[in-house]
Amino acid sequence: MRELSVFVDESGDLGGESKHYLLALVFHGQADDLGRTIRLYEGDLAVRGLEDVPLHLSPLLRGNDAYAAMEPKRRAAYLASFGTFVQHSPFTYHVFVYRKSEFRDRASLGARMRRDLVEFLFDHIERLQGFDLVKIYYDDGQALVTRALHDGFEYALAREAVIYRDARPDGYRMLQVADYACGVELAALRYDAHEENATDWLFFGTRRDFVKTFLRKLRKHLL
């Protein structure tokens, strides 16, 4: 049985000050072995003297949550190690980007998200239909996203082909990849608008450094 896993994350508080809302989907065919790249990543963490902390890019950059007691140099080491893991792992991804000012309310954003998701899935319907089972992993963090996932996948695919699993990043490396993809694509928006901040400069460097070291390597996986 061919199985496809879809890992979902979002970036940008719907009611906050952020200009954009991002929705990331990471696709991993279970026949594509992740074991080797995971072992290399865990080995690299050990060599660097780092604990295996589940990656959460925004807290890492800001020094919050699990990274609160870490110096920037140590957090940068985590970022570099995970970036190498992303570069060599077998997955594809897509990020939907929305400028929040273009939507009058959450309902209108949700409607656009569902429409975009359906169009994207139909653009790749032959690939999706090549799998016997599709599993979607999302932590139900935003009801708007959960509704879009249900409506989009159940419209494009047979209902019985989709299984929903509550998931946490500490249990799935690819959920961490979805988080990373959201964060890097959000940083790309800032660099493109010349709105990068001191934290971006500290961890990503100049726009040229960011594109070479982070964005280009991630987008090699773009679907």
Side-chain angles (χ1 to χ4, degrees), residues 50-156:
L50 302 173
E51 296 180 8
D52 190 354
V53 177
L55 182 116
H56 192 180
L57 188 54
S58 180
L60 184 152
L61 298 178
R62 298 176 181 178
N64 296 333
D65 300 340
Y67 308 96
M70 296 184 192
E71 296 181 355
K73 184 177 180 180
R74 190 171 182 85
R75 285 145 52 201
Y78 271 106
L79 181 60
S81 186
F82 196 83
T84 300
F85 168 69
V86 167
Q87 181 182 0
H88 297 291
S89 292
F91 71 92
T92 56
Y93 82 101
H94 185 81
V95 174
F96 299 93
V97 178
Y98 303 97
R99 181 176 287 273
K100 293 194 297 185
S101 62
E102 297 177 356
F103 301 91
R104 65 182 182 273
D105 52 29
R106 293 190 180 198
S108 60
L109 173 58
R112 173 67 178 276
M113 193 180 294
R114 291 192 294 273
R115 187 187 74 190
D116 289 348
L117 182 57
V118 167
E119 290 180 356
F120 173 82
L121 294 174
F122 274 113
D123 284 343
H124 301 279
I125 195 66
E126 290 186 9
R127 180 176 184 271
L128 292 170
Q129 289 178 338
F131 292 91
D132 303 297
L133 190 63
V134 177
K135 294 182 179 179
I136 301 174
Y137 295 83
Y138 180 57
D139 65 1
D140 284 330
Q142 296 283 352
L144 178 148
V145 173
T146 300
R147 176 68 181 276
L149 292 171
H150 274 278
D151 290 351
F153 277 91
E154 290 170 5
Y155 185 83

